[in-house]
């Protein structure tokens, strides 16, 4: 989500929230299967071409003098 938000030009901020400590083991890093799935999923997201919002694409074309 963060990668796609950055590609879309969104600003990402962090906010402190109250939470309880994790109960139980992690499903992602606690097993080989979970780790493999996380690596596979993130690799797919990073391999995707960035999504450029139409407004940004139009500005880029205008700067280069390209008309649609």
């Amino acid at each position: 989500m963060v990668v796609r938000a950055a590609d879309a030009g969104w600003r990402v901020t962090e906010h402190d929230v109250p939470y309880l400590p994790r109960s139980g083991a992690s499903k992602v890093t606690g097993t080989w299967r979970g780790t493999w799935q996380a690596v596979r999923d993130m690799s797919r997201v990073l391999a995707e071409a960035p999504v450029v919002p139409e407004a940004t694409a139009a500005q880029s074309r205008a700067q280069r003098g390209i008309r649609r």
Side-chain angles (χ1 to χ4, degrees), residues 15-38:
H15 297 276
D16 291 334
V17 294
Y19 68 96
L20 296 173
R22 178 186 294 273
S23 62
S26 169
K27 289 183 255 178
V28 175
T29 59
T31 65
W32 281 104
R33 180 178 179 214
T35 302
W36 172 247
Q37 286 177 334

Side-chain angles (χ1 to χ4, degrees), residues 54-67:
E54 182 56 34
T56 304
Q59 289 171 349
S60 178
R61 286 192 300 270
Q63 290 171 348
R64 292 180 289 167
I66 299 171
R67 294 182 189 211

